Amino acid sequence: MAVLLRAKRASVVAKEKMKIEYVDVLKPQGTEVVVKISHAGVCHSDVHAFEHSSVYALYPFPQNPGHEILGTVFSIGPEANGADEELKEGTSVLVYPWISCDECDRCEQGWHNWCLSGKSRTIGGARAGECGYGEYVTVPHPKFLISSAGIEPELAVILPCCGLTSYSAVKESQSSKISCSDGVVVIIGTGGLGLMGIQWAKKISKQTVVGVDISDSALKIATDYGADFVVNSKNTPDVSAFIKSLDIKNKTVEAVIDFVNNVHTHKLANSLCVRGSNLVIVGIAGGAFETNLMMIPLRGVRIQGVFVGSIPDLKELVEICRGGGIRSIVTKRRPLAEIQDALADLQTGKIVGRSILVL
């Protein structure tokens, strides 16, 4: 295949060791589109690749993380059509990276995040290959590109993962047939995902938003991003009593979204649910939790897992962002040369909000 150019790309080559090297960017074939990357988000799941932990430990080095990608169309394959808008070089786009087999029923409906075959082709996933931590990325089809026109770059770049995951979670939290529109939605974990979740909840629901974390500094920022009330669950063990003490009309907990999902947060989330509540589980911290099976039908709590979101979901939230009212949570900007430090800072808890690479 013809080489289009050579460009920089960062790889995890050993545990907690990044290496930047030049790779061939091939001329796009068929439906492929080459995107020149302008910004890339540094997601906490990339830390697992950096550490060679979680699912990333199942795959050998090198690995190429980096799945939040914003850029411009650089080169278009001869059969690249099917985009929502006319595709031309220079168009500003964000990349939907959750690409799987593209053949099963789920993928054909746009639900690549729920692919039935398990044949992941995720951009910036656990395998070596295309990623966002580089200067260019090749996307297999233009349907995975969404125009970012009208959205500031520092907001657009975090939408394919942080924005999409939190938006999908809030949508699921509002899906109960019996919930009251003016009840309470509890958001556990007010880091990057939680801050976006707070904004989506304020945008698409009328419920009172209560942010829960064990960091006072994180809770202070959560208030700035729209949380109506915040509580430190480390200092306030009875969060349910705290909610009941609030001076609001409807104190019914209609939904709990757990953006952490470890043993402690899941126990808290489950305890806050009342009959008919929605419990949305997002985080992958992991662990195990026992429950009384009889109480599942008696309580009627709807438990829903969320793994990022679909292409239609991403298009929905892009339109919401174009309408205004959603703020970027980016607090740190670095060049590609500092990807090692960017991941190390996120690993050690030095990042509040989101950090990004600016190329």
Side-chain angles (χ1 to χ4, degrees):
M1 294 184 182
V3 175
L4 186 64
L5 50 81
R6 287 180 61 78
K8 294 177 183 177
R9 178 184 291 171
S11 303
V12 184
V13 294
K15 185 174 181 179
E16 299 181 356
K17 184 177 181 181
M18 301 296 295
K19 181 180 180 181
I20 298 175
E21 54 192 350
Y22 280 90
V23 298
D24 290 339
V25 178
L26 302 179
K27 185 176 180 180
Q29 304 294 307
T31 62
E32 293 177 339
V33 180
V34 176
V35 173
K36 183 177 182 181
I37 300 171
S38 61
H39 301 74
V42 183
C43 178
H44 199 278
S45 62
D46 295 334
V47 172
H48 293 306
F50 184 60
E51 298 172 333
H52 206 230
S53 62
S54 185
V55 67
Y56 295 87
L58 302 176
Y59 298 91
F61 297 115
Q63 294 181 13
N64 293 103
H67 50 265
E68 290 184 335
I69 304 169
L70 175 69
T72 54
V73 174
F74 183 77
S75 185
I76 304 170
E79 300 171 17
N81 51 48
D84 286 346
E85 302 177 16
E86 182 183 358
L87 195 66
K88 56 184 179 181
E89 293 179 3
T91 301
S92 180
V93 292
L94 49 87
V95 177
Y96 179 86
W98 315 106
I99 302 166
S100 293
C101 74
D102 210 24
E103 297 174 353
C104 71
D105 289 343
R106 296 285 189 270
C107 287
E108 287 185 353
Q109 295 171 25
W111 294 92
H112 290 79
N113 54 315
W114 295 129
C115 176
L116 299 175
S117 74
K119 298 177 182 177
S120 173
R121 294 188 292 153
T122 296
I123 294 174
R127 296 179 175 88
E130 300 296 333
C131 71
Y133 293 164
E135 295 176 315
Y136 293 84
V137 63
T138 299
V139 180
H141 195 283
K143 66 184 176 184
F144 301 115
L145 301 176
I146 292 90
S147 170
S148 61
I151 306 174
E152 62 165 314
E154 290 194 358
L155 174 58
V157 65
I158 64 173
L159 295 181
C161 179
C162 180
L164 180 57
T165 301
S166 54
Y167 177 71
S168 299
V170 172
K171 277 187 67 177
E172 289 293 343
S173 78
Q174 303 297 305
S175 61
S176 174
K177 295 180 180 180
I178 66 171
S179 64
C180 300
S181 62
D182 62 347
V184 174
V185 55
V186 179
I187 291 181
I188 299 177
T190 59
L193 284 171
L195 292 178
M196 290 302 295
I198 288 167
Q199 294 188 83
W200 297 128
K202 297 297 292 183
K203 193 73 171 178
I204 67 175
S205 85
K206 297 179 181 179
Q207 294 171 348
T208 299
V209 178
V210 176
V212 181
D213 207 292
I214 58 174
S215 165
D216 287 335
S217 59
L219 291 171
K220 183 178 180 180
I221 297 171
T223 300
D224 183 50
Y225 274 82
D228 297 298
F229 301 94
V230 295
V231 57
N232 188 319
S233 57
K234 188 176 182 179
N235 301 332
T236 309
D238 194 344
V239 176
S240 180
F242 170 83
I243 294 173
K244 291 176 182 177
S245 72
L246 297 176
D247 186 17
I248 54 177
K249 182 179 179 180
N250 188 342
K251 303 177 184 182
T252 302
V253 175
E254 300 294 357
V256 181
I257 305 174
D258 186 356
F259 283 115
V260 181
N261 190 33
N262 62 26
V263 173
H264 305 293
T265 61
H266 184 75
K267 182 178 180 180
L268 171 61
N270 193 53
S271 71
L272 294 175
C273 290
V274 298
R275 301 185 80 176
S277 294
N278 277 340
L279 172 53
V280 182
I281 300 173
V282 184
I284 54 172
F289 181 76
E290 290 188 7
T291 190
N292 185 330
L293 296 177
M294 180 181 69
M295 295 306 296
I296 294 177
L298 293 181
R299 294 177 72 205
V301 173
R302 179 178 178 269
I303 302 174
Q304 174 69 49
V306 166
F307 177 68
V308 290
S310 68
I311 293 174
D313 284 335
L314 183 54
K315 291 177 180 178
E316 281 181 17
L317 69 89
V318 163
E319 287 303 317
I320 292 173
C321 289
R322 286 193 177 115
I326 302 296
R327 295 161 52 195
S328 171
I329 60 170
V330 171
T331 57
K332 186 75 173 181
R333 302 148 194 87
R334 293 179 182 270
L336 178 62
E338 296 180 11
I339 182 58
Q340 174 87 27
D341 293 335
L343 289 167
D345 282 355
L346 187 57
Q347 179 189 38
T348 54
K350 295 179 181 178
I351 300 299
V352 176
R354 203 70 158 185
S355 67
I356 61 172
L357 302 180
V358 180
L359 289 89

